[in-house]
Amino acid sequence: MNFLKQDNLLITEPALKQEPIVLQINGVEYRDYTTATKTLSQFLRETAGLTGVKTGCNEGECGACTVLVDNKPVNSCLILAFQAEGRQIITIEGLLGADGTLSPLQQAFLDYGAVQCGYCTPGMILAAEGLLREIPNPDDREIRRALAGNICRCSGFLNIIKAVKSVASQTDTPVVA
Amino acid sequence: MKHIANPLPILDGHEKASGQLAFAADMKIAGLLHTKLVFSTVAHARIKEISIEKALGIPGVAGIFHHGNTPDNTYNSTIWFEDQEAPQDEQMFPRTVRHVGDRVAAVVAQTQEIADHAAGLITVEYEVLPAVFDVVSTEKTCMENAGSDEVSIFEKPVLEATFDYGNYRAAFDNAELIVEDRITTPKTHHCAIENHICIAMPQDDGRILIMSPCQSIFAVKFVAAKAMGVPASSLRVVKTPIGGSFGGKAEPVLDPLCAYFAKTLGQPVSICFNRNEVFTATRTRSKAIGHIKTAVDQLGRILARDSDILIDVGAYCTGGIFLPDSMAQRLCRLYDIKNQRYRGRSFYTNTPPAGAYRGYGSPQIHAMSEINLDHTARRLRMDPVEFRMKNLIHPNSVDPVMGLEVGNSRIRDCVEQGSSHFNWRRRWSASGKGNRFRRGVGMACATHINGCFPGFHEATTVTLLLREDGCIDLTCALHDLGCGSNTVIAQIVAEVLDILPGQIEFSEVDTDICDYDLGTRASRMTYIAGEAARRTAMGLKEQILLAASLMLNCAVGNLVMEEGKVSGNCEPGRCVSLGDLALHESVRGKLLTTTQTYRATANPGSYAAHFAEVEVDILTGAVKVLDYLAVHDLGRAINPQLVESQIHGGIQMGLGYALFENVDIDPDSGCMNADRFSRYHLVNAPEMPPVEILLIEKGEPTGPYGAKAVGEIATIPAAPAIVNAVNHALDTNLTELPLTPERIVDACRIP
């Protein structure tokens, strides 16, 4: 957003109103007519109101903003919203059942003591969900590698790894796409 | 016991795992203004001029604040009650900036983008002053200035704490061996994943409401009132859910500014720091340098110890006045040493201020002590476990500094059972060999406090009310920092009343509703607040039984309270549910409620011994932690799962303290080199070793159901255990933390 830094030249909203950005999030379509410079995390939090998406560093280091884009974990602070057009985006809210029940992975995080302050949790769960969608039964090393881009400062990761493993071992049969 | 020792998942876990818990940044507030601060780019300077005209001309800017238009009241952000004494050296916007990242100005605007843009247009002219980045230089200057009235407080020591007992001189003279070390611990950062944030807004009654993730609503109230120069009664503070703190949010950094902006502009205002700002403009762990000298006899008995500690508090004092005493207190509660001298001194430097951080001085002082003791054991050619066992304190010892009993201290059990469980002797004798990859084992002991007793109003007030639906309203300023302390409190109350922990509903943490409380600090939650909750629940139980006795026409002694109802054996089958009893009483104009204040009467120690095995690659300097055992004397685990998580998290932080973490102040510019996550390495999932936990649960008589604290101590022995393991692997005496690959490679170089 370098152009915003130029002296006395703050590009006003109307100038930026062009084509809307249209995103498919948790199976619902969202449109936004504002700036094209919005990151995906800003779009998700501000436009779509999905505040389960957290931001912690805006440089792709902490992973708190992780969401699934076409089933792959992505730091939503590092891509622009329009880059996700035409893709299926899933946030933590999208893992819940229709009646608000937790997904098996969310429930496992709770049961195994993998949740403390809860700030890294949505991103951590989605990083793990992305792994499980790619490798339904990962080993310890694969789980640790898949979580390497997510920082948890409370739990020391071990119960998170246990939680992921517990769900992995339940899904012995490959998921049919 | 139904609920004590139950590994219950945290009560607010559903909201957290589903992403539905609203943190401050997630709250929708109509008309909210956003703030961008302008920070000093120089380490020490007088501000000659601030040019704000260009920024003011930007549409959407609501206000610009700086030293020329804000109160110049001095304050100290560490206080947690109104008349608490502490050097008042902070200002909202100081005229003289004292570190890179100090506050110069703030732009408040309709959107964050506008605020960011306008803040970039503010120019500042500085008259640069000499800056000091290392505490040794400050100490030298202070010694030269001693006795002079001309110098500012920043050129004087913040505080000096000393003690001296026994006859340490004679002991040193007669010693078989004296082992001396200079040990340094780095300035590190909390790295809570939620960045610092504050929201403030005018209320209809004319007061300002402050909402922030804080560790003490009353600290926020008193600090903000002092800074703003308004009566504390004109402020109301509500705690929001907190995304990790570890002490980083203990001192209100943003709240006084945010409240002032909201008051001045008459609109809701938020300040939301980004990660880089959290690193450079909030708080850190103090850097410390210790000279430790230990005298021993041939048999490995410690005869005397001399400790001289320099503490770098950074640009502002904050809690720097407590650190030298805190360190002394913790140093003296672990080993039985008959002759000891201690001098702890804190000094200013032109670096970001230190503040509270998990362990409050304990990680520094125990790292120093434990690294030096391992060195001593090596020099004695003695097994470090055997050496420690000869010197560790016994239960119910009295600490020689404060004169307080350490309680049922079970450090000897920790070391004994831990070394056996870890196969210490075998591993210790076997390691060290190898060509490129060298293995070693290390261990360290630690102790930490339980609350603030005997000082600082160490008390907690809890109100319990039985509702007509059989649930309990619990009102108390309990600041759960995310680790599940509310769940532990709920388990305690549930145990007393024999209801379900989920039936206890916690009040908002709000200065309008809650009685005064110190907040979450000093490992006081389980031990102090837990005991307060237990006693209040006992009081409520008495009331319930009395009411039920009248209703059921049955003597209290013949009543049984279980599973949410009271039954009497006077008339078989006759019972009343707690909800119906509450209803029965309320129509008679009586509420089943009680408020009790529990004042602490003791301050026992929590104890721990950690054991680690490492493999050091002498080519790259990388350290891999292969195996880890944490043994904790915590009296009793109310919730073993939460205890486990606390210990795991403490180890993650401690390994970083030993090996990677250092904000690294540039010695020329005073800029922070590791000022964001991409430059500040934390232990992540692949690096976290397997951890085994052994709990010593022998009960603390003054703790609720025998429990004492675990949250802070979990991190304390980790760093020295790792450093000792590396020194064992390499046969070195590395004493400068963190043991970065560069330092390790340097140490392994053949001379």
Side-chain angles (χ1 to χ4, degrees):
Chain A
M1 284 188 274
N2 277 336
F3 64 92
L4 287 178
K5 298 278 181 202
Q6 290 170 32
D7 281 15
N8 293 328
L9 180 71
L10 185 71
I11 295 180
T12 52
E13 299 241 323
L16 291 166
K17 270 186 189 164
Q18 296 170 3
E19 293 293 303
I21 297 169
V22 184
L23 296 183
Q24 296 291 330
I25 309 163
N26 304 328
V28 178
E29 188 177 289
Y30 290 85
R31 282 167 182 268
D32 186 23
Y33 286 91
T34 60
T35 69
T37 56
K38 258 192 184 170
T39 61
L40 179 57
S41 61
Q42 285 174 320
F43 189 103
L44 293 170
R45 285 181 55 81
E46 294 161 17
T47 306
L50 298 166
T51 52
V53 180
K54 305 298 175 198
T55 54
C57 70
N58 280 315
E59 57 164 349
E61 286 286 331
C62 77
C65 66
T66 304
V67 297
L68 296 183
V69 177
D70 284 349
N71 290 323
K72 297 239 178 308
V74 166
N75 285 316
S76 63
C77 71
L78 286 188
I79 66 169
L80 295 172
F82 74 82
Q83 292 176 290
E85 279 189 315
R87 316 285 198 94
Q88 291 298 326
I89 300 159
I90 297 175
T91 69
I92 193 72
E93 291 88 350
L95 293 187
L96 291 173
D99 56 349
T101 49
L102 298 178
S103 75
L105 184 61
Q106 288 171 311
Q107 187 62 47
F109 263 63
L110 192 49
D111 294 342
Y112 281 82
V115 179
Q116 282 197 44
C117 80
Y119 212 81
C120 78
T121 307
M124 193 71 77
I125 288 175
L126 286 160
E129 179 73 24
L131 168 73
L132 294 173
R133 288 183 184 197
E134 196 194 337
I135 309 173
N137 208 346
D139 61 24
D140 186 82
R141 200 167 145 267
E142 286 167 327
I143 295 172
R144 285 172 181 257
R145 283 188 58 166
L147 303 178
N150 293 68
I151 301 174
C152 169
R153 190 56 151 173
C154 297
S155 82
F157 301 103
L158 298 175
N159 288 345
I160 294 173
I161 295 165
K162 263 191 241 169
V164 178
K165 219 176 277 178
S166 78
V167 175
S169 56
Q170 286 169 19
T171 51
D172 276 340
T173 45
V175 180
V176 181
Chain B
M1 295 282 170
K2 284 188 183 167
H3 303 293
I4 302 302
N6 182 12
L8 184 73
I10 48 171
L11 292 174
D12 53 0
H14 188 284
E15 289 91 322
K16 288 173 176 174
S18 62
Q20 287 165 339
L21 182 67
F23 292 88
D26 306 331
M27 292 171 179
K28 291 262 170 289
I29 290 154
L32 184 67
L33 297 172
H34 303 264
T35 308
K36 177 71 175 180
L37 265 67
V38 176
F39 300 98
S40 171
T41 52
V42 293
H44 192 198
R46 244 186 299 279
I47 295 170
K48 285 167 75 176
E49 207 181 320
I50 303 177
S51 306
I52 60 165
E53 289 69 29
K54 272 188 187 172
L56 269 179
I58 299 295
V61 169
I64 296 182
F65 298 89
H66 49 83
H67 71 76
N69 63 0
T70 50
D72 62 355
N73 302 309
T74 54
Y75 63 98
N76 186 318
S77 57
T78 206
I79 64 162
W80 56 88
F81 55 92
E82 198 162 21
D83 48 355
Q84 192 169 7
E85 279 179 26
Q88 294 172 9
D89 55 12
E90 295 168 64
Q91 285 175 305
M92 280 191 198
F93 296 99
R95 210 169 263 275
T96 299
V97 286
R98 297 195 30 81
H99 69 95
V100 176
D102 210 348
R103 297 185 292 263
V104 172
V107 178
V108 182
Q110 277 163 12
T111 68
Q112 190 64 54
E113 287 73 19
I114 295 171
D116 290 354
H117 173 65
L121 300 177
I122 292 176
T123 54
V124 187
E125 208 183 312
Y126 296 105
E127 180 195 338
V128 175
L129 300 168
V132 185
F133 307 126
D134 73 291
V135 71
V136 178
S137 303
T138 314
E139 186 216 6
K140 196 163 162 266
T141 315
C142 288
M143 293 306 109
E144 286 163 11
N145 291 341
S148 163
D149 295 333
E150 303 292 297
V151 296
S152 78
I153 57 164
F154 297 109
E155 294 161 290
K156 292 178 188 167
V158 177
L159 190 102
E160 174 166 352
T162 56
F163 70 78
D164 178 342
Y165 65 81
N167 189 348
Y168 73 92
R169 272 183 215 284
F172 269 101
D173 288 344
N174 299 327
E176 185 73 25
L177 174 70
I178 296 168
V179 179
E180 190 174 352
D181 285 301
R182 179 186 195 269
I183 298 156
T184 63
T185 61
K187 196 175 183 70
T188 55
H189 189 69
H190 313 78
C191 300
I193 307 301
E194 179 199 31
N195 287 323
H196 286 57
I197 182 170
C198 182
I199 298 168
M201 59 181 91
Q203 291 196 144
D204 289 344
D205 61 8
R207 295 185 302 161
I208 299 294
L209 168 65
I210 302 173
M211 297 192 293
S212 71
C214 59
Q215 290 190 211
S216 168
I217 47 173
F218 293 96
V220 170
K221 182 168 164 152
F222 296 130
V223 171
K226 180 93 186 148
M228 295 165 73
V230 299
S233 57
S234 70
L235 303 175
R236 173 183 169 202
V237 184
V238 174
K239 174 195 173 275
T240 58
I242 193 162
S245 178
F246 317 106
K249 291 164 184 158
E251 291 167 5
V253 175
L254 308 181
D255 309 67
L257 310 173
C258 199
Y260 183 75
F261 301 162
K263 186 178 159 71
T264 308
L265 300 172
Q267 256 184 284
V269 175
S270 77
I271 307 177
C272 183
F273 267 8
N274 63 35
R275 181 58 58 185
N276 172 250
E277 293 163 345
V278 174
F279 265 95
T280 56
T282 63
R283 298 288 180 263
T284 60
R285 186 188 296 290
S286 60
K287 179 181 175 166
I289 302 172
H291 285 93
I292 315 265
K293 214 156 63 166
T294 303
V296 287
D297 67 14
Q298 240 168 352
L299 299 171
R301 277 286 312 169
I302 300 172
L303 301 174
R305 177 156 68 179
D306 188 14
S307 312
D308 193 340
I309 318 293
L310 288 182
I311 304 156
D312 174 357
V313 302
Y316 297 103
C317 172
T318 74
I321 32 158
F322 307 126
L323 274 168
D325 285 307
S326 300
M327 288 187 187
Q329 182 196 16
R330 286 120 207 218
L331 182 67
C332 287
R333 302 178 96 182
L334 193 50
Y335 296 97
D336 177 20
I337 301 174
K338 303 285 186 232
N339 308 289
Q340 205 161 180
R341 182 172 73 163
Y342 170 90
R343 179 162 73 148
R345 291 172 296 161
S346 42
F347 294 99
Y348 292 104
T349 57
N350 295 106
T351 63
Y357 190 168
R358 196 179 198 168
Y360 216 100
S362 281
Q364 294 96 312
I365 197 68
H366 287 304
M368 291 170 186
S369 159
E370 292 298 302
I371 292 169
N372 170 259
L373 288 182
D374 238 54
H375 185 200
T376 310
R378 270 202 305 285
R379 294 278 303 278
L380 281 166
R381 297 181 192 288
M382 191 176 274
D383 179 340
V385 163
E386 188 191 337
F387 174 53
R388 284 181 174 82
M389 284 305 292
K390 284 175 191 278
N391 294 288
L392 284 166
I393 60 159
H394 289 265
N396 305 313
S397 302
V398 173
D399 94 56
V401 176
M402 307 276 288
L404 293 173
E405 274 204 26
V406 298
N408 191 13
S409 60
R410 291 290 169 175
I411 181 62
R412 302 182 71 86
D413 300 64
C414 291
V415 176
E416 229 160 34
Q417 292 186 33
S419 58
S420 144
H421 198 82
F422 197 70
N423 273 322
W424 169 267
R425 244 209 114 75
R426 186 180 56 71
R427 294 201 207 193
W428 181 72
S429 322
S431 50
K433 323 291 179 289
N435 207 2
R436 176 175 160 185
F437 297 97
R438 310 268 172 90
R439 283 191 179 199
V441 288
M443 60 89 58
C445 302
T447 180
H448 197 63
I449 49 166
N450 277 264
C452 294
F453 178 83
F456 303 128
H457 307 305
E458 186 44 283
T460 283
T461 302
V462 176
T463 298
L464 295 176
L465 166 79
L466 178 63
R467 297 193 321 216
E468 292 165 15
D469 60 1
C471 292
I472 301 283
D473 280 335
L474 187 153
T475 305
C476 179
L478 294 169
H479 300 66
D480 189 330
L481 303 186
C483 50
S485 53
N486 278 6
T487 305
V488 167
I489 303 283
Q491 285 177 265
I492 291 170
V493 173
E495 185 66 43
V496 174
L497 300 175
D498 199 359
I499 55 172
L500 297 173
Q503 289 179 293
I504 290 140
E505 205 159 292
F506 290 85
S507 66
E508 289 287 316
V509 180
D510 179 338
T511 52
D512 272 9
I513 324 178
C514 302
D515 283 293
Y516 174 79
D517 196 80
L518 284 71
T520 299
R521 59 181 79 240
S523 278
R524 62 188 296 278
M525 288 306 284
T526 300
Y527 179 75
I528 305 279
E531 180 61 6
R534 191 188 69 84
R535 287 173 182 234
T536 312
M538 296 290 285
L540 182 64
K541 186 177 176 176
E542 246 173 66
Q543 283 197 24
I544 289 170
L545 288 176
L546 196 63
S549 148
L550 295 172
M551 188 180 170
L552 300 174
N553 197 20
C554 187
V556 168
N558 294 327
L559 292 174
V560 180
M561 186 167 155
E562 60 183 3
E563 287 172 7
K565 56 185 193 303
V566 184
S567 32
N569 61 6
C570 308
E571 238 179 281
R574 184 96 199 272
C575 71
V576 60
S577 73
L578 293 185
D580 287 347
L581 184 66
L583 186 64
H584 176 86
E585 291 298 294
S586 76
V587 298
R588 285 156 184 80
K590 191 170 179 292
L591 289 174
L592 287 170
T593 181
T594 180
T595 298
Q596 294 196 11
T597 299
Y598 168 62
R599 284 183 199 289
T601 54
N603 192 338
S606 287
Y607 288 84
H610 285 195
F611 300 79
E613 180 166 23
V614 301
E615 183 179 77
V616 187
D617 180 345
I618 62 165
L619 190 70
T620 62
V623 176
K624 192 174 175 193
V625 184
L626 302 172
D627 198 11
Y628 204 99
L629 171 68
V631 193
H632 281 261
D633 157 31
L634 41 49
R636 176 167 211 161
I638 305 280
N639 184 324
Q641 190 181 69
L642 295 181
V643 165
E644 182 185 51
S645 295
Q646 284 286 284
I647 294 173
H648 288 168
I651 293 166
Q652 190 268 359
M653 211 171 251
L655 300 195
Y657 198 45
L659 299 173
F660 316 116
E661 296 187 30
N662 180 6
V663 298
D664 190 21
I665 303 299
D666 184 273
D668 297 319
S669 65
C671 290
M672 190 182 279
N673 286 324
D675 64 350
R676 58 199 65 196
F677 281 149
S678 54
R679 298 174 187 164
Y680 186 94
H681 184 67
L682 305 158
V683 172
N684 54 22
E687 288 157 329
M688 191 67 190
V691 172
E692 224 184 315
I693 292 169
L694 204 59
L695 301 180
I696 308 292
E697 299 184 83
K698 298 207 169 164
E700 185 60 47
T702 51
Y705 295 101
K708 48 188 179 181
V710 75
E712 291 193 273
I713 193 170
T715 200
I716 300 167
I722 297 294
V723 172
N724 290 342
V726 171
N727 281 329
H728 182 232
L730 302 177
D731 196 21
T732 47
N733 188 40
L734 295 169
T735 57
E736 194 176 349
L737 275 62
L739 304 185
T740 54
E742 293 88 339
R743 283 172 181 164
I744 286 176
V745 168
D746 267 353
C748 295
R749 223 170 257 160
I750 299 155

